[in-house]
Each structure stands twice: as C-alpha cells, then as structure tokens.
Amino acid sequence: MSISPRTIFHVDMDAFFVSVEELFDPSLKGKPVVVGGQRDERGVVSAASYAARKFGVHSAMPLRTAAKLCPKAIFVNGHPERYREYSAKVHEVLGHFSPLVEMASVDEAYLDMTGTERLHGRPLQAAQRLHDSMKSNTHLNCSIGIGTSRLIAKVSSAKAKPNGVFWVLPGREAKFLAPLAVGDIPGVGKVMEEKLHAIGIQKIGDLAKLDDRDLENRFGKWGLALAGKSRGEDAGGWFDNEVGENVDPKSISHEHTFDEDTGDAERLQSTLMRLSEMVGRRLREGGYFARTLQLKLRYKDFTTITRAHSLDQPTQMDHHIFEQTRRLFFANWKPGAPVRLLGVQASNFESGPGQLDLLEPKRDERWKNALAAADHLRDKFGEAAIGLARGMKGGFRERIHENPAALPGKGKKKRPEA
DNA sequence: TCTGGGGTCCTAGGACCC
DNA sequence: TCTGGGGTCCTAGGACCC
C-alpha cells in the first residue's frame, strides 16, 4: 500500500473495430455499421457504430437480430489483422506516456501515471495530451478515465464516452460511485445484479452501506470483493495487480460453430483436427507444454458439455491433442446427434516436455521436426497451406475464422506470484 | 431475436493421502 | 466401527469480460 494515491488512466478506444474499418473505407463514416459478420449468418455483433446503436443494436447481439432492428445497416466481416495492427499503434502511443502500460484487450489499456507530473503535467493536462497524440498518430478517438484505482479509472472512462475525459478526484471515489447502478461495477453481470436487486440493492451506494461480513456470508469471496469495490478499491479478484505486469496465459483454446449443425462424423473429426492444429501451433509459438486437454461439445439445443483429460506428460504436439480430444469426443458424442459447436482447449501449462517416449525415442523427435516445418510453411503461405491428413479428408477443409476480438492480453489476470 | 470466440476466475464434489 | 480433518489434484459447470 502506497501512502500517496496512485493515478491510474483507463484508455478505451471509441467504437474501435468500426473506427478502424472507417479508416480503410471512409464511405462508412456516419452510417449504421455492424462489424462481426453478414446479416444472415450465425454469430453476434462484435461492434456497432453509433448510428447503428441508435436502432438498439449493440455488441453480443445476434447478427440476425441486428439486421431486423436496423435493416439498412452495413454488415462488415471483422479484420483481425487490421485490429492487431492498430492495437500495436495504440500501444506505442501509450508507451510515450508511461512505462507502466497494460493492454487489457485490443482496444483498452491501463496506465499507471503515478509520478509522471513533471513530464506530462497534471492528470487532466496529461489526458489532453494523450488524447491529441492518439488522434494524430492513429486517427482514432479514445476516452480516458482517471482515478486512484483500476476500478475507478475503468468506470469513469465509460462516463467519458465518447471522445472525452473523466477524472474522479482522490477521496471522492465513494461519492462518485454511490448513485451508479450495481451493474456498473465490472464483474457484476446479469446474474449478480438480479441477486442484489432481490435483496433490495439497486445502487452502488446501497452496497456500500452493507456490512462487509454480511456480503461475505451471502456471496462468499465475491461478496467481500464487492464490499471493497463499492468504495472504489481494487479489492480482491483480478483487479488488484500492479499495472503492467504481464502474465503468461492459463489456457489456449479454439472453437468453431458450424454454419449448420452437423452429425457427420468425418466432418466433425476433421474440424477437431483443425482445432487441435491451431491449439498446438499456439502452444509451440508460446513455448508452452499443456498437461490438460479439454473437448467442448455443443448440441443443436445449445446444451454444452466439457470433458477434460490430464496427461502424465505435458505436450505441445498436434497429434497428442487430437488423439485425446478425439477419444473424449467419441466417448461422449451420441452418434449422429447434430452438433453446433466443437472446441479444443489446452491448459495446465508446464515449461518443458517432461519425459520423452522411452519406447520410441525417435518418434516424437520426428513429429517435432515435421511440425516445425509445417509451422514454417504456414508462416510463408498462410493457414490453408498445410494440414494433417485427417483435416484434408475428402477434399473438405472446415474454414475456421479467427475471432477479431480474440487478441492477446484479454481477460482477467491474476496477481503474479512474488 | 436464437444465441461467436477467446479468455479468467470461482465453486463444488470426489479421489487420494497422511 | 457409527466414522476426523486438512491438503491437493482433477473434473465439470457457470458467471463474466471484450
């Protein structure tokens, strides 16, 4: 705990995906634009322009719903490479303002600005400069929230939107939060919100009046964290790590929803192979060896199961991943049942491969070489260049789209171990 | 309206060990 | 016999975020 309060910035890009698309196609400007796929596709909205939002379109809404609400909307497929490129530009701009920058996702970041006054001036002045610098270097707008904690910075950046700055003075945290809805607390979603409403809590101020122990008794660990959050602290959970500490991922996964549900075993297996390759590739890129492999299976009616298996020896090889997930698949799939989604996840990372195959010491070595060659080819000629036999069966190759929002640095992070 | 994809964290029960 | 208690690992599911 430091004695003088920290100064945290939360920088959130305004309608990031849409704005980037507008840079590539200026004719989109001012129009209702929906990024995430075509109007008749399965899938949800990744981002909507402000013009589209006026019709009630918002992110996470099914594309087909958006099309009904706003028939004139222009539907655009996402361009992950573009977002990555611009995210890197954003990161670079931010790096000129503080050495402690943490990209929380493609389009938002935390900066610890504590102690930068002599360089960049008082918070509002620094924010103004950052804003201008962002605009001139990336041609993108951002909103900036300033506070003494991540939580306050995050909540105030939402109040700053669009294209503004919002500063909560040190000592005014609880006062700022009190009139806001409990659902405005990051981490309080629909379910928690309803539970809180059920006991008569609507505003964050109502929450702050409750006893910490009472909240802990009702909601466990989360309840205690909530008590702190109601006062503006980064108490508990993922929020209270230092800004700028980058942490290794805990899991790597890929999943695919079929355009139409399928019960075709060959097609399902070839998809599983593709997903296994994608996961294996990323394990090798990151130098991770996974001990736990998980299959995800979603049926037509949306019921979803996950089945996991932990290996004796960690792996990063496609065929190990495929072997396990295929086994799990056939042990759980009702043959012929229409499948909506398949997913493959690797977790429980270890730094090395452990013991190699003692019976066939050359086998894994050969695989490793083959995979390295395949990785190299893909780098050179693109993802479709090569695939293991199963993935190619019958000339069919499941096309799997990369998710524009799925870029490094996402999600919640835990405090790194000392 | 018919529900993506990639993550993190939490809970809870059972196995297993001492 | 009328049954501990803690620790850790594994698995499954679910809330939540962008």
Side-chain angles (χ1 to χ4, degrees), chain A residues 79 112 412:
Chain A
H79 294 94
D112 193 333
K412 301 163 186 176

Side-chain angles (χ1 to χ4, degrees), chain A residues 206-220:
Chain A
D206 303 334
L207 204 55
K209 282 182 211 145
L210 289 185
D211 191 55
D212 284 18
R213 297 305 300 273
D214 183 22
L215 278 166
E216 189 179 10
N217 290 338
R218 276 181 204 274
F219 303 116

Side-chain angles (χ1 to χ4, degrees), chain A residues 69-378:
Chain A
L69 286 176
C70 184
K72 291 199 172 152
I74 300 166
F75 286 76
V76 182
N77 293 330
H79 294 94
E81 343 74 55
R82 294 180 181 174
Y83 310 144
R84 245 193 302 262
E85 179 192 336
Y86 274 83
S87 187
K89 289 185 188 188
V90 167
H91 195 164
E92 215 217 304
V93 169
L94 298 178
H96 288 106
F97 286 84
S98 169
L100 298 176
V101 178
E102 183 176 317
M103 295 300 292
S105 73
V106 251
D107 69 338
E108 79 186 280
Y110 291 95
L111 276 74
D112 193 333
M113 294 291 286
T114 311
T116 66
E117 285 212 359
R118 284 184 49 192
L119 207 54
H120 300 297
R122 306 264 299 146
L124 279 183
Q125 192 187 354
Q128 187 60 54
R129 284 190 194 173
L130 199 166
H131 202 276
D132 293 347
S133 175
M134 188 64 76
K135 186 73 183 179
S136 58
N137 284 292
T138 69
H139 311 289
L140 296 171
N141 289 330
C142 63
S143 297
I144 304 172
I146 309 171
T148 55
S149 63
R150 283 175 186 260
L151 176 84
I152 294 294
K154 167 97 175 149
V155 175
S156 48
S157 76
K159 303 294 161 194
K161 280 196 172 297
N163 202 16
V165 176
F166 198 107
W167 183 20
V168 177
L169 291 166
R172 300 289 193 84
E173 292 83 3
K175 210 167 187 177
F176 162 65
L177 292 173
L180 304 181
V182 285
D184 285 346
I185 298 175
V188 174
K190 225 176 135 188
V191 173
M192 192 64 191
E193 191 176 18
E194 263 164 33
K195 284 183 188 168
L196 290 169
H197 286 171
I199 56 172
I201 295 169
Q202 309 283 337
K203 305 289 179 197
I204 300 179
D206 303 334
L207 204 55
K209 282 182 211 145
L210 289 185
D211 191 55
D212 284 18
R213 297 305 300 273
D214 183 22
L215 278 166
E216 189 179 10
N217 290 338
R218 276 181 204 274
F219 303 116
K221 222 171 171 173
W222 236 110
L224 198 57
L226 270 183
K229 285 170 194 296
S230 71
R231 293 178 235 113
E233 300 160 12
D234 284 336
W238 64 94
F239 249 57
D240 60 1
N241 56 346
E242 299 299 322
V243 172
E245 303 274 9
N246 267 336
V247 181
D248 281 338
K250 302 261 184 299
S251 67
I252 288 174
S253 66
H254 285 280
E255 58 186 61
H256 177 67
T257 296
F258 294 96
D259 294 341
E260 285 174 348
D261 305 331
T262 178
D264 177 347
E266 275 308 323
R267 192 173 176 201
L268 290 164
Q269 279 190 87
S270 90
T271 300
L272 218 44
M273 181 73 242
R274 272 300 282 153
L275 294 167
S276 300
E277 285 174 7
M278 292 167 78
V279 169
R281 178 116 212 265
R282 290 191 44 214
L283 289 173
R284 293 189 292 282
E285 275 170 6
Y288 305 115
F289 291 79
R291 237 172 39 77
T292 305
L293 299 169
Q294 186 188 256
L295 168 82
K296 184 165 166 184
L297 186 50
R298 174 171 292 155
Y299 289 107
K300 195 172 62 178
D301 67 354
F302 224 75
T303 57
T304 308
I305 64 163
T306 60
R307 292 293 179 267
H309 177 72
S310 291
L311 306 162
D312 290 336
Q313 301 297 333
T315 187
Q316 53 177 191
M317 297 213 257
D318 301 356
H319 69 288
H320 287 156
I321 302 168
F322 179 55
E323 227 169 76
Q324 292 306 320
T325 49
R326 192 178 71 123
R327 198 178 50 73
L328 290 167
F329 174 74
F330 282 110
N332 291 280
W333 180 52
K334 311 163 209 158
V339 172
R340 182 188 175 91
L341 168 148
L342 282 178
V344 170
Q345 187 203 57
S347 61
N348 213 342
F349 296 152
E350 290 178 12
S351 51
Q355 250 178 331
L356 292 175
D357 190 338
L358 291 175
L359 294 175
E360 271 210 77
K362 292 245 172 77
R363 196 165 143 262
D364 279 338
E365 203 52 45
R366 283 204 301 270
W367 265 108
K368 220 178 276 176
N369 292 337
L371 289 173
D375 287 350
H376 181 69
L377 276 178
R378 285 203 192 90

